[in-house]
Amino acid sequence: MPSIVMNIFASLYIIADGYFVANFVGKTEFAAINLVMPILNILGTIGYMFGVGGSALIAKTLGEKHQDQANRLFSLIVLVSGGLGALMMVAGFIFMPQVATMLGAGGELLENSVLYGRIFILALPAWIWVYEFQLFFVTAEKPGLGLVVTVLAGLSNIAFDALFIIGFHWGLAGAAAASALSQLVGGLFPIIYFMRKNNSLLKLVKPVWNGRALVKSMTNGSSEFMAEAAWSMVAIVYNIQLLKYAGEDGVVIYGLLMYVSLIFAAIFVGYSNGIGSVFSYHYGARNHEELKNLRKRSLKLIGVASIAMFLLSEALAHPFSTLFLQDAPNLLPDAVHAFRIVSVAYLFTGMAVFGSAFFTALNNGQVSALISFLRTFVFELGAVLLLPLLFGVDGIWYAIVFAELMAAVVGSIFMVALQRKYQY
């Protein structure tokens, strides 16, 4: 549960900005956030790759009773990922105008996209750590503390948004500054905690270079990174298609849908992250009966949650759209219509997410990466390019449902096919 709530509050970094900008700044500024955020998210999810892959490796090492080695791996991953984030921050700040132009922005939309992106990216190293420590707090058996840190960061983002946008009238720049400051809260506090003496399973120590372990962490976490990054890449294509078929209004509606998707997907991702290190530990300790038990209970929980989210999304379609479209009521019918279609996808999202994370936990990054690759680059990307030719704008919404359905099917097939190998 702490892992789930951590992921939900992490989503507030984006959702809070969207709400305040949509209602207190303007529709074009709201579209600018939705346009540039996928690029920023790709950079931030580098931390997710290191966090998922690294935590699986560290948890396995802890299960093998090698505490000192686990601490050295942990410290090395945190250091390398932070340094990589600093390099990407500099490059991203310099080339933000070119990136926004490539996304199809022009005129006022281009100016707003560059403004938001350049301020937001200044906190990129901290954002990478935010992603990482969501996983590392669980591995360190401190999910409750991780929850507190993430909730505080999420609430600080809301408070800063209100202060900068409503109080200081800083507009879009205030939204970006609020997100950047809240990332510092969520990213730097864990560094301080793990550097000091603590009673968790992990501690930041002097790292020792281990290129093989770094590569293992990256390859093992590549599927989850691919899932997150590919989601952002596909979101870029969605925005391009929507600008073509529905203009700026289509980008606004897509932003609303993605906010709901962020929250619902965060529940599945949070559960998969929370249970992943437990799978890894028992796999390393060869507790096969517990692996079977965990898998069965996980599938039951995901099934129930999937149905609940489908029903909840249908119920929230109108009130949630109204919440974000107070200044653009003319978009409300189209937004609700899109919600009704995309809601069906939540029946399959849980299995699509869990299937990939399950094999990562078993240190089988290849299968996990294949599931993620097929989900996004084959099913979703192919559908968003082809279905609009048949169904117009609705084809863009159908593409989301199609991709989640097919990814759930593929994940289920691999889970059955490899059951004997891993004895779960």
Side-chain angles (χ1 to χ4, degrees):
M1 186 60 70
S3 181
I4 293 171
V5 178
M6 273 195 290
N7 276 270
I8 292 174
F9 269 86
S11 301
L12 290 179
Y13 292 131
I14 301 172
I15 296 173
D17 282 359
Y19 172 77
F20 281 97
V21 170
N23 289 291
F24 298 100
V25 182
K27 186 179 72 172
T28 300
E29 288 81 359
F30 181 58
I33 293 179
N34 296 328
L35 194 67
V36 76
M37 184 52 69
I39 291 293
L40 299 171
N41 194 58
I42 291 173
L43 301 180
T45 48
I46 293 291
Y48 195 43
M49 176 182 67
F50 281 107
V52 172
S55 63
L57 184 59
I58 292 167
K60 183 173 180 291
T61 304
L62 289 170
E64 295 168 344
K65 310 303 180 184
H66 300 308
Q67 179 70 49
D68 291 339
Q69 183 183 355
N71 282 331
R72 289 194 295 269
L73 289 173
F74 170 58
S75 304
L76 179 63
I77 291 169
V78 171
L79 177 64
V80 170
S81 60
L84 183 60
L87 292 175
M88 293 190 299
M89 175 190 71
V90 174
F93 187 90
I94 294 172
F95 295 106
M96 192 61 65
Q98 291 85 344
V99 170
T101 301
M102 178 191 70
L103 297 177
E108 186 180 356
L109 184 61
L110 174 61
E111 294 176 6
N112 287 322
S113 298
V114 173
L115 173 65
Y116 185 86
R118 277 184 161 171
I119 297 174
F120 191 104
I121 206 170
L122 293 176
L124 181 61
W127 198 24
I128 287 175
W129 284 332
V130 167
Y131 271 103
E132 277 186 16
F133 285 115
Q134 289 178 34
L135 284 303
F136 289 148
F137 270 121
V138 175
T139 306
E141 292 191 349
K142 288 293 181 180
L145 181 58
L147 170 62
V148 171
V149 173
T150 307
V151 169
L152 287 176
L155 292 177
S156 69
N157 191 30
I158 296 173
F160 285 136
D161 269 323
L163 178 64
F164 296 161
I165 296 176
I166 300 176
F168 295 166
H169 303 288
W170 287 356
L172 189 62
S179 283
L181 288 175
S182 62
Q183 290 161 32
L184 294 177
V185 173
L188 296 183
F189 178 85
I191 295 288
I192 297 171
Y193 172 79
F194 284 110
M195 286 182 66
R196 298 168 61 87
K197 185 178 180 180
N198 63 75
N199 61 353
S200 77
L201 293 183
L202 296 175
K203 189 177 188 301
L204 286 172
V205 298
K206 183 178 180 180
V208 176
W209 179 257
N210 188 335
R212 185 175 182 180
L214 277 175
V215 172
K216 177 65 175 176
S217 297
M218 289 187 288
T219 55
N220 198 36
S222 63
S223 58
E224 275 65 33
F225 167 72
M226 184 182 296
E228 291 291 321
W231 175 86
S232 297
M233 294 177 189
V234 170
I236 293 170
V237 178
Y238 270 86
N239 283 326
I240 293 173
Q241 288 285 79
L242 285 164
L243 285 172
K244 175 182 177 181
Y245 284 91
E248 189 177 293
D249 291 346
V251 176
V252 171
I253 294 173
Y254 181 64
L256 301 181
L257 296 174
M258 289 306 98
Y259 288 163
V260 173
S261 179
L262 278 172
I263 297 172
F264 285 5
I267 295 173
F268 292 124
V269 171
Y271 179 78
S272 298
N273 289 346
I275 202 70
S277 59
V278 184
F279 274 114
S280 298
Y281 182 91
H282 289 294
Y283 174 60
R286 300 183 182 277
N287 296 331
H288 299 299
E289 287 302 316
E290 188 58 24
L291 283 177
K292 294 177 183 178
N293 181 42
L294 287 169
R295 184 182 69 91
K296 288 179 181 178
R297 283 199 277 179
S298 294
L299 292 177
K300 289 179 181 179
L301 285 170
I302 288 170
V304 172
S306 298
I307 295 172
M309 289 182 194
F310 163 70
L311 297 175
L312 188 60
S313 180
E314 288 286 333
L316 290 177
H318 191 277
F320 192 86
S321 298
T322 303
L323 183 67
F324 279 82
L325 296 175
Q326 296 177 30
D327 291 337
N330 59 303
L331 298 183
L332 191 58
D334 291 336
V336 173
H337 174 71
F339 260 102
R340 302 294 188 201
I341 297 174
V342 174
S343 294
V344 180
Y346 301 130
L347 292 171
F348 315 110
T349 299
M351 188 60 201
V353 172
F354 179 73
S356 176
F358 179 71
F359 288 105
T360 295
L362 297 178
N363 282 262
N364 190 334
Q366 293 84 358
V367 170
S368 183
L370 179 59
I371 294 172
S372 296
F373 176 82
L374 291 173
R375 178 188 180 192
T376 50
F377 286 111
V378 176
F379 301 139
E380 192 159 17
L381 186 59
V384 77
L385 292 174
L386 295 177
L387 292 184
L389 298 176
L390 301 174
F391 304 106
V393 176
D394 281 354
I396 298 177
W397 315 133
Y398 292 142
I400 300 173
V401 179
F402 175 80
E404 300 296 72
L405 168 62
M406 295 305 298
V409 170
V410 170
S412 300
I413 291 172
F414 275 114
M415 198 170 289
V416 172
L418 297 175
Q419 185 172 2
R420 180 174 297 179
K421 176 180 178 180
Y422 290 103
Q423 300 180 53
Y424 49 73

